[in-house]
Amino acid sequence: MRTALIVDDSAFMRNIVRKTIEQHFHVIAEGCDGREAISLYKKFLPDVVLLDLTMPHVDGLLALREIMNINPLAKVVVFSAWGTKFTIMEAIQLGAKDFIMKPHFEQLLPALRKLFIEEKII
């Protein structure tokens, strides 16, 4: 089973994401800010990172930039309630594979299917 890292400053949102993906992914770790995202990515090297943008200490865009520096092939799906056109474009330019608007988590599994379609894990 593929592994996932979920990072959001809201435990409630992390729980929703976990419940949405747990039949298809092993959630290897959860973090509550960008610093933890970077640290947990280095430690676990998950198959996919589900990353919020608006978080304390280090925001999601900086965390995304650092994760992509660690592994340019990292699979990161960004989710946020603050999806301006500029923010979405910036996340994609930094290497995010998709952008999901909160609370539309029904779009999460289709986005993950796209990422792993060739491996037929979902």
Side-chain angles (χ1 to χ4, degrees), residues 24-112:
H24 303 286
F25 289 84
H26 170 65
V27 178
I28 199 162
E30 293 183 19
C32 63
D33 65 33
R35 273 190 264 178
E36 284 190 345
I38 297 161
S39 174
L40 291 168
Y41 185 83
K42 287 179 186 177
K43 181 176 181 180
F44 293 107
L45 297 173
D47 295 311
V48 67
V49 179
L50 305 166
L51 182 66
D52 185 21
L53 287 184
T54 307
M55 297 182 290
H57 309 296
V58 173
D59 70 24
L61 288 176
L62 182 55
L64 173 61
R65 182 177 284 116
E66 289 301 314
I67 289 168
M68 298 311 292
N69 283 337
I70 295 165
N71 177 8
L73 300 176
K75 291 180 171 122
V76 181
V77 174
V78 171
F79 57 93
S80 181
W82 303 104
T84 66
K85 185 177 179 179
F86 175 77
T87 305
I88 294 168
M89 300 241 338
E90 186 173 8
I92 299 299
Q93 288 173 348
L94 288 172
K97 303 301 182 206
D98 212 331
F99 194 102
I100 307 296
M101 289 294 295
K102 287 180 185 178
H104 302 287
F105 291 111
E106 71 277 2
Q107 297 172 359
L108 192 52
L109 280 178
L112 293 172

